[in-house]
Amino acid sequence: QVQLVESGGGLVQAGGSLRLSCAASGRTFSSYAMGWFRQAPGKEREFVAGITWSAGNTYYPDSVKGRFTISRDSAKNTVYLQMNSLKPEDTAVYYCAAKSGPLRVGVGGYDYWGQGTQVTVSS
């Protein structure tokens, strides 16, 4: 079955960096889009980055543009989220997700989800 396993979360000071990884297994993802989402306590899950597996096209919301970078390593079946210039408001559980077809920013369109990894940014 499909598995998405996130890693790389932790505690970092404001202005610092973290790199999250999402190891994907269980199928071929060449026709899939991959997304990173986050959910802070009491808030809705929100999209923070996405990439199409085959072409590598990326998309970011304004809240993270210029600070976050999504990439993929097809040989390792792994998607990364490089997060720089982190702010306390970036504190959340970060989730990796996969969907067949085009990239979307809505939560509802994704078929598979990882278990999440906690990112905490201290001020």
Side-chain angles (χ1 to χ4, degrees), residues 7 13-14 32 90-91 99 113:
S7 60
Q13 289 189 330
Y32 272 57
D90 294 317
T91 295
K99 68 174 296 295
W113 291 84

Side-chain angles (χ1 to χ4, degrees), residues 9-33:
L11 173 64
V12 64
Q13 289 189 330
S17 299
L18 280 175
R19 188 177 81 156
L20 307 182
S21 298
C22 172
S25 62
R27 67 163 300 123
T28 301
F29 290 92
S30 57
S31 63
Y32 272 57

Side-chain angles (χ1 to χ4, degrees), residues 38-75:
R38 67 185 180 190
Q39 188 166 19
K43 294 190 176 181
E44 292 187 354
R45 193 168 297 189
E46 65 171 345
F47 174 89
V48 296
I51 189 167
T52 57
W53 199 281
S54 57
N57 297 321
T58 59
Y59 180 78
Y60 308 91
D62 289 342
S63 58
V64 305
K65 195 175 293 183
R67 299 190 300 123
F68 289 11
T69 303
I70 188 171
S71 62
R72 86 268 190 253
D73 184 331
S74 296

